[in-house]
Amino acid sequence: MHWLKQKLQQIKAAGLERKLKLVSGRSAVATVIDGKESINFSGNDYLGLADDPEIAAALIAAVKKYGVGSGASHLVTGH
């Protein structure tokens, strides 16, 4: 395990250690990351539809009609 500790130290010394960033609020086009307002180039809401009231209403209607819940992976339950 000594080799692993050495490798991790090398990665840290090279400034390549991965650090988790704190995202505050909703994941949107403009978001706050580590306390700084940023543009989110890695989110899935690139069209800005997450806050659309018509989509929210349709989602609520679908939840009321069909319910919610996640299933297992496709390999377990099919698709």
Side-chain angles (χ1 to χ4, degrees):
M1 289 303 262
H2 180 70
W3 64 270
L4 181 57
K5 287 182 182 179
Q6 282 183 320
K7 187 64 177 173
L8 289 172
Q9 287 174 346
Q10 290 173 352
I11 290 169
K12 189 173 184 175
L16 300 174
E17 183 180 35
R18 187 173 175 186
K19 296 178 182 152
L20 297 177
K21 298 184 179 295
L22 178 62
V23 178
S24 304
R26 300 173 69 165
S27 180
V29 175
T31 191
V32 178
I33 301 173
D34 285 342
K36 184 171 64 173
E37 189 168 330
S38 304
I39 296 174
N40 183 0
F41 288 105
S42 62
N44 290 329
D45 189 27
Y46 46 87
L47 296 177
L49 297 175
D51 291 322
D52 184 281
E54 288 185 45
I55 293 175
L59 175 64
I60 291 167
V63 166
K64 287 179 180 178
K65 183 174 182 177
Y66 301 109
V68 295
S70 59
S73 74
H74 294 275
L75 294 174
V76 175
T77 61
H79 59 278

